[in-house]
Amino acid sequence: FAFGALLLVNCLCGCPGPINIKQIVELSPSATPSPTPSADPDQVAIMKVIHDNANALNNDKQDNYLATLHEDSPFLREGTSFYTRLRHTYLTRYNILETKIQSQSAADASVSVKRRVTDYSGTVDQEVLYSIAKNQANSWKIKDMVIQSSRNVS
């Protein structure tokens, strides 16, 4: 089933370039809202890259999606073929419901995310663990992600 395959490789969105952590971009109504700013600029940037990733997929912005990925990400190595499989259909929507930083150092972070994925076959709530790391330009990017649980909503 195509949706099952989609769930295995699911989620990641983009930003058009380096993240300005002092400014949270206002997003279109159909996009996942930006995270609430915190006092820690790294935490803001970590949360923002997750939201930017989902928004790039929702708005079919491949360049923005790829910009959210760390240069060591297996998703980036697969490039456009992975994006095409992940995007699957213009009707697929990724909505970030909740994010929580599990651990954070100066160079990497682990973030648990609750998200809702909707496409032509229905809606699924997922719990996903993201591995976020600073790249060579010292920007936070998505290195990897693992779907920990998934349940049908409709």
Side-chain angles (χ1 to χ4, degrees):
F1 193 86
F3 188 68
L6 176 67
L7 292 177
L8 293 175
V9 294
N10 234 333
C11 186
L12 300 176
C13 274
C15 77
I19 297 170
N20 178 351
I21 58 178
K22 294 185 184 253
Q23 177 184 16
I24 300 294
V25 178
E26 186 173 332
L27 304 169
S28 68
S30 64
T32 297
S34 293
T36 303
S38 77
D40 180 352
D42 280 331
Q43 288 182 0
V44 171
I46 289 166
M47 298 301 191
K48 186 174 183 322
V49 75
I50 292 169
H51 285 266
D52 286 349
N53 181 269
N55 289 327
L57 286 171
N58 290 344
N59 295 305
D60 197 24
K61 302 290 185 185
Q62 181 175 337
D63 290 341
N64 294 359
Y65 165 78
L66 294 173
T68 65
L69 301 178
H70 192 277
E71 56 262 14
D72 294 335
S73 171
F75 307 118
L76 187 60
R77 286 193 295 269
E78 288 192 44
T80 57
S81 64
F82 177 76
Y83 175 84
T84 302
R85 288 192 317 268
L86 184 60
R87 185 67 184 108
H88 191 65
T89 173
Y90 290 111
L91 301 176
T92 302
R93 287 285 177 250
Y94 298 86
N95 294 304
I96 305 299
L97 304 175
E98 183 180 315
T99 55
K100 182 179 180 184
I101 295 176
Q102 298 294 321
S103 64
Q104 178 185 345
S105 71
D108 57 36
S110 177
V111 183
S112 64
V113 175
K114 291 182 181 178
R115 68 182 186 189
R116 181 163 284 167
V117 181
T118 303
D119 75 359
Y120 68 91
S121 64
T123 300
V124 176
D125 281 349
Q126 297 178 330
E127 292 187 22
V128 184
L129 186 63
Y130 282 81
S131 173
I132 313 289
K134 285 191 176 178
N135 65 5
Q136 293 177 358
N138 208 34
S139 297
W140 290 99
K141 302 292 180 175
I142 296 169
K143 196 166 185 179
D144 205 354
M145 51 82 54
V146 176
I147 298 171
Q148 296 182 310
S149 69
S150 185
R151 74 174 175 83
N152 289 341
V153 174
S154 63

